Structure formats: structure tokens, C-alpha cells
Amino acid sequence: MSDTQNYNPTLRIGVLALQGDFEAHIKMLQTLGVEAKAIRLPEQLDEIDGIIIPGGESTTIGKLMVIYELHEVLQRKIRAGLPTWGTCAGLILLARETDNAVASQPLLASMDIRVLRNAFGSQRESFETDLSVPALGDEPFHAFFIRGPLVEAAGPEVEVLAKLSDDTIVAVRQGNIIATAFHPEVSGDTRFHQYFLRIVQSVKG
Ligand code: GLN
């Protein structure tokens, strides 16, 4: 383990691979030298130290989680402390509440946040911006928002990791769970993935 890494390459990270851009996360994790597994079966959740829920379409991923019998067991594991990171649709799935009109949308409800889906309207549906993320150091993080959500309200246990210049909350942490409204896996900047790996490492000990 090098000084700059602060995590062990033996960490096994699952990426929920039902729909969306799971492959980009897997590639970035492989670049960082850890084992990355595409997760499609409930029993695979016993073989990982942390999990990423990727961007995609949150209603589709939510329905597929139920069909693949992953919803309840994943929810239980996250409640029991499994380090988890949701990006974009993944952030929506981790929220306790969304503005989604589809009442049947299954959520993991693991974070005390309320989110607005597709929050940036047609003009800014997709945009890029440099974000200040103090947890990653002084250098701004170039963030890609792709029809992203925003965090409308966050409970007292939620730490805000990043905001847009107008104070819109776009990255949060609650214990071992982090969620970003944007897509670090397409940025070429590995700092968010390293930050997550350090959380996984601290839980694994
Ligand atoms: N708009 C999508 C949703 O509501 C999220 C988009 C994304 O993950 N890039 O699920």
C-alpha cells in the first residue's frame, strides 16, 4: 500500500450492473488496482467490501433490483454498514424521498435526503462545471452532470461534500454512504473513487 493510496489493493468493490454506466466505474476501479465485480445476483453481495450504484435510469434500476431480488438484501446490507456510493441515478435510489411521480419507484432509502430528479431543466440538463470539494483537496473537481438530480433537503446527519455556486447541494455523505449528482467515472479524475476506497478501507480495517 503506498502512502498516497491509503487503501489496500485487495479490496473487492461491487458495481451494481443491472442498467446504466457500470462499466465506466469498473474500468476506473481497475485503473486504481482494486478488484471490481459486476453485481447481478444477491449472493454476490457477500463477496464485496463496498458497492457503487451507477448512473442510468433510476426507475429502471429500481424495478430491476426488485426483479433480481437485490432490493431487500442490498437495503439490509447498507443499513448494516456496507460502504456504498451512488452516482446520479444511484443518488436518487439512496434517497429516502424523491419527487418522482411514479409512486411505485422502489428506493433503497438509505440516506436522509430528499432529491429532485432531472433537476436542471432543459437548458442545463447536461453540463460540466468545476466544483470545490474540500474532502478531495484544494484542486477543483471537474464534474459532468447528465440529466442529474439535486439534493433538495438533507437531514442533520448528512454532511455536504459539494455545492454548486448557487448553493445547490450535489454531493453528500452520511456515515459510510456517499452520493454524487454527477459522474466522476467519466471525468478521468480518480480522486472521488480513491475517497470512496478510503472509506471502504476504514470500515474493513
Ligand atoms: N435522470 C436520471 C434518473 O432520473 C438520472 C440520470 C443519470 O444517472 N445520469 O434516473
Side-chain angles (χ1 to χ4, degrees), residues 54-59 87-90 92 117-118 146-149 183:
E57 190 53 48
S58 55
T59 35
T87 55
C88 206
I92 296 167
R117 290 181 67 210
N118 304 328
I146 305 168
R147 298 187 70 228
H183 288 261

